[in-house]
Amino acid sequence: MLSVIRVHLPSEIPIVGCELTPYVLVRRPDKSAATDDVPESAPLDGYFLRYRWYRVQSDKKVTICSVHPTEQATLQCVFCSKRRALVSKSYHCSPKCFVDAWQHHKTLHERAAAENGNEEDELVRFSSTGSGALAGTLSGSMSNLNLAGNGPTPFYPSSITQKSGGETLVEVGSCKTYTPTSDDIGYVLKFECVVANAESRQVVGHPSTILTSRVIPAPSPSPRKLIPVNGADGMSHLDQDGRIQSAGSSFTVLSYNILSDTSASGDMYSYCPPWALSWSYRRHNLLREIVGYRADVVCLQEVQSDHFHEIFAPELDKHGYQALYKRKTNEVLSGSTSAIDGCATFFRRDRFSHVKKYDVEFNKAAQSLTEAMIPPTQRRTALNRLVKDNIALIVVLEAKFGNQPADSSGKRQLICVANTHVNVQQELKDVKLWQVHTLLKGLEKIAASADIPMLVCGDFNTLPGSAPHTLLVRGKVDPLHPDLLVDPLGILRPQTKLTHQLPLVSAYSSFVRPGMGPGLEQHRRRMDLNTNEPLFTNCTRDFIGTHDYIFYTADTLMVESLLELLDEDGLRKDTALPSPEWSSNHIALLAEFRCMPRPRR
């Protein structure tokens, strides 16, 4: 007869909006063990599995810390408690938690005060378990806060009255999976699985159960704003919810390395809570972030093949995106091909139509190079160095722009978007430069066949000022550049060949463009003025620097706006990426472009 061997949850910490999928191991009538579901619609020898999810309610609902969602809150910011939009961010588990978060937290006060006027308010109070209340004003600093013996002040929301005074099980789901809601915050969930008779529907034997920890709210980072850089004032192109909205002939492009699940190891990112590093959580958080940007073109890197087909393509299709994908070649990486990552490019069907797709496999280019340049006795060694499975995806799109031609001449407005992920090994400087040069030569061929604006996006795994970055933005590399000293195969010689004719500019250099107004000063502080690139796009405990870029052809495109960069205020104190708020070790880059008028011929 069918029986349940055991049940297990990959993560015991449930998060609002993140689906919980238990692992259920059953013994089938033939004595074999399996994880296949046995629903009531397809019973096995007259038996099926019945599932139930319950909310375990008690006399007191626990409030969760806004900063450390696995901890119980013990104090609340009163200023935030009086403003509905800030209540969810008002709870803290200790005075230290509040002090450590103050630099990030005070920006919430400043924004609210700017909207509602500067009010003198009591700042923080303890819950009924505290020993007093912290008091202060908006104009004071954290150093001016002091303990005041005002006595305990309860602040928790009204709890549900229990007739029995004990625990009550409230059924919230009858499927194998369950997605916690805001009503579940602060409560424990109970999962129950039991064998039932298909005819009588009576349960057979004892149920197998799991108790989760308390449901926590999904962390909500402060939204990143779109900053105009073309001289316009104000926050243009944002809808009423503060989200990015393209208008007219402008369009937005997002580039984001999302950190594949296979790369998100607990050993490498031990500082990130395990529940926040789990794919079941990160996929929901990444989708929420990506969809929220509403970009017209989305270039993602490190998208696993199975995740593209099962998650990103179908989910973004619901939001009006068409998807294109190129998986890395797997000559180096062994194992399941479904777990190999690649580059995915999405575009909004109401803004663009697909014209052509080019797949760039650097492995094939390496094969051709070694056959042409390397003596037969050295080819195996050369291929071992050059074959790294990296790829690029090039897509040619036709702009619709409200079904009106973007060009006054009536010609089709085409746009070419390259999406790449260059080799990560820092010691292979020659391979990185060769891959970038190979991509640029391919793009030059496309440019020669059509008068077309170009965008080159991705994770280049190379710092500003490196040889690959220099080649991209200057069109050539100084023969004395130190990176050129690493060339054991001689593939970079003669160095005069390391050129290209595309007038590429880094989009984020617009933050330091000469003549920009004083309103961009805070954004300039997040830029490296020596390289005109962001201070970082990748931030872990072991590395902080810029590896991600959006390049554009400056003779055909103009930058209108840029997504603001994160800084130490955007990343809470002592935080590295990934984190509960940001689910990749990279940050997303987004630029709004406008096609420049074509010269009359």
Side-chain angles (χ1 to χ4, degrees):
M1 191 184 81
L2 185 69
S3 62
V4 178
I5 300 175
R6 74 184 186 100
V7 294
H8 168 71
L9 273 175
S11 174
E12 294 183 353
I13 298 180
I15 302 132
V16 170
C18 295
E19 184 180 80
L20 295 170
T21 304
Y23 170 87
V24 179
L25 182 65
V26 300
R27 191 172 303 284
R28 301 166 67 90
D30 62 3
K31 304 302 181 182
S32 63
T35 57
D36 298 334
D37 193 14
V38 186
E40 185 176 4
S41 59
L44 190 62
D45 284 0
Y47 295 93
F48 68 95
L49 295 177
R50 194 193 75 178
Y51 307 106
R52 293 289 186 271
W53 285 92
Y54 300 98
R55 182 191 305 135
V56 182
Q57 296 186 176
S58 59
D59 287 337
K60 182 177 180 180
K61 180 177 180 179
V62 173
T63 305
I64 303 298
C65 174
S66 306
V67 180
H68 306 101
T70 58
E71 302 295 328
Q72 181 176 336
T74 61
L75 59 89
Q76 182 183 34
C77 172
V78 178
F79 178 87
C80 294
S81 73
K82 296 178 180 180
R83 290 149 183 87
R84 181 178 299 178
L86 301 182
V87 168
S88 65
K89 299 179 181 294
S90 66
Y91 301 109
H92 297 268
C93 55
S94 68
K96 183 180 185 302
C97 166
F98 183 70
V99 171
D100 287 348
W102 175 246
Q103 290 301 315
H104 176 77
H105 188 89
K106 73 176 182 179
T107 59
L108 304 177
H109 291 200
E110 292 167 353
R111 291 175 182 175
E115 294 174 1
N116 303 313
N118 195 2
E119 305 170 9
E120 295 292 323
D121 258 328
E122 176 189 15
L123 190 59
V124 182
R125 63 187 176 203
F126 281 109
S127 71
S128 56
T129 60
S131 59
L134 287 171
T137 66
L138 288 176
S139 58
S141 67
M142 287 303 298
S143 61
N144 294 327
L145 295 178
N146 57 82
L147 285 172
N150 297 332
T153 307
F155 68 90
Y156 290 110
S158 301
S159 59
I160 300 174
T161 303
Q162 303 296 327
K163 294 180 181 180
S164 65
E167 291 185 345
T168 300
L169 297 181
V170 177
E171 184 177 325
V172 292
S174 58
C175 298
K176 183 178 181 179
T177 61
Y178 177 67
T179 302
T181 69
S182 57
D183 292 336
D184 299 319
I185 294 175
Y187 293 115
V188 169
L189 297 177
K190 180 179 181 179
F191 171 71
E192 178 183 281
C193 175
V194 66
V195 175
N197 185 286
E199 184 175 345
S200 65
R201 304 193 70 198
Q202 297 298 310
V203 300
V204 179
H206 297 287
S208 298
T209 62
I210 308 173
L211 287 176
T212 71
S213 57
R214 298 185 186 276
V215 176
I216 64 174
S220 55
S222 299
R224 296 169 63 189
K225 296 178 181 178
L226 194 64
I227 310 300
V229 294
N230 61 356
D233 295 325
M235 303 304 300
S236 63
H237 310 305
L238 298 180
D239 66 12
Q240 60 183 359
D241 297 320
R243 290 176 291 191
I244 296 164
Q245 185 70 46
S246 298
S249 60
S250 68
F251 63 96
T252 51
V253 178
L254 173 76
S255 184
Y256 196 7
N257 180 326
I258 63 171
L259 181 62
S260 68
D261 185 38
T262 55
S263 299
S265 69
D267 291 338
M268 183 173 293
Y269 304 109
S270 58
Y271 51 83
C272 183
W275 61 266
L277 197 58
S278 69
W279 181 244
S280 60
Y281 170 74
R282 290 204 307 119
R283 69 172 186 175
H284 288 281
N285 205 34
L286 288 166
L287 279 169
R288 174 202 56 76
E289 181 185 0
I290 293 166
V291 170
Y293 291 133
R294 289 187 178 177
D296 297 311
V297 180
V298 176
C299 296
L300 303 181
Q301 301 88 44
E302 285 200 34
V303 181
Q304 288 180 203
S305 179
D306 53 347
H307 294 163
F308 172 78
H309 293 290
E310 297 170 10
I311 299 170
F312 288 99
E315 288 299 321
L316 290 176
D317 176 71
K318 297 175 185 177
H319 295 274
Y321 288 92
Q322 184 171 328
L324 297 165
Y325 183 69
K326 174 58 182 172
R327 192 186 71 190
K328 285 181 180 177
T329 46
N330 60 325
E331 294 178 36
V332 176
L333 182 65
S334 59
S336 172
T337 57
S338 64
I340 295 176
D341 67 271
C343 295
T345 299
F346 305 83
F347 60 90
R348 280 176 48 187
R349 287 186 290 264
D350 63 334
R351 302 282 287 165
F352 292 97
S353 59
H354 176 225
V355 176
K356 197 170 183 61
K357 173 177 178 275
Y358 301 90
D359 292 336
V360 179
E361 295 185 0
F362 295 118
N363 282 7
K364 289 184 177 179
Q367 187 71 42
S368 300
L369 178 69
T370 54
E371 290 176 358
M373 290 185 56
I374 307 297
T377 57
Q378 300 176 23
R379 286 177 185 171
R380 181 181 294 275
T381 300
L383 287 174
N384 285 339
R385 185 173 183 86
L386 292 173
V387 171
K388 300 300 176 188
D389 291 343
N390 300 97
I391 53 88
L393 170 62
I394 303 174
V395 178
V396 177
L397 304 174
E398 180 181 355
K400 294 182 179 179
F401 298 140
N403 295 321
Q404 296 295 322
D407 182 64
S408 58
S409 66
K411 295 181 180 179
R412 295 195 306 168
Q413 179 63 71
L414 300 179
I415 295 171
C416 179
V417 181
N419 180 8
T420 191
H421 191 186
V422 172
N423 185 251
V424 68
Q425 294 169 270
Q426 296 306 312
E427 68 275 12
L428 299 180
K429 299 181 186 298
D430 55 326
V431 178
K432 293 177 185 289
L433 181 54
W434 170 76
Q435 288 183 352
V436 170
H437 184 249
T438 300
L439 173 61
L440 289 170
K441 286 304 173 182
L443 292 173
E444 277 190 320
K445 292 179 181 178
I446 297 174
S449 64
D451 180 14
I452 182 171
M454 290 199 166
L455 292 151
V456 188
C457 310
D459 176 3
F460 290 80
N461 273 310
T462 192
L463 292 169
S466 64
H469 180 267
T470 301
L471 176 62
L472 281 155
V473 298
R474 295 186 180 176
K476 61 182 180 180
V477 182
D478 189 319
L480 299 179
H481 195 290
D483 285 0
L484 299 183
L485 296 175
V486 181
D487 187 19
L489 302 176
I491 60 173
L492 305 180
R493 295 192 288 268
Q495 292 155 354
T496 53
K497 75 177 182 180
L498 298 175
T499 62
H500 71 90
Q501 301 301 316
L502 301 173
L504 293 175
V505 175
S506 176
Y508 272 78
S509 67
S510 297
F511 271 144
V512 293
R513 183 191 302 163
M516 291 293 99
L520 293 179
E521 186 56 39
Q522 63 172 314
H523 304 288
R524 289 194 188 95
R525 290 197 294 268
R526 303 172 189 179
M527 299 287 292
D528 183 339
L529 299 183
N530 293 318
T531 63
N532 291 341
E533 295 289 2
L535 290 172
F536 70 88
T537 64
N538 183 306
C539 179
T540 69
R541 286 281 170 85
D542 301 321
F543 173 81
I544 181 167
T546 294
H547 277 170
D548 308 88
Y549 308 91
I550 299 176
F551 300 102
Y552 69 99
T553 46
D555 61 339
T556 55
L557 293 169
M558 178 173 60
V559 178
E560 295 274 291
S561 308
L562 293 167
L563 186 66
E564 66 179 337
L565 296 164
L566 295 181
D567 61 6
E568 62 274 10
D569 292 331
L571 299 175
R572 288 197 177 110
K573 185 178 179 182
D574 297 328
T575 297
L577 299 177
S579 68
E581 290 83 8
W582 307 101
S583 287
S584 175
N585 56 339
H586 296 251
I587 65 170
L589 301 180
L590 185 145
E592 180 186 21
F593 296 96
R594 186 177 299 276
C595 294
M596 296 173 63
R598 293 169 176 164
R600 293 184 178 275
R601 295 180 179 177

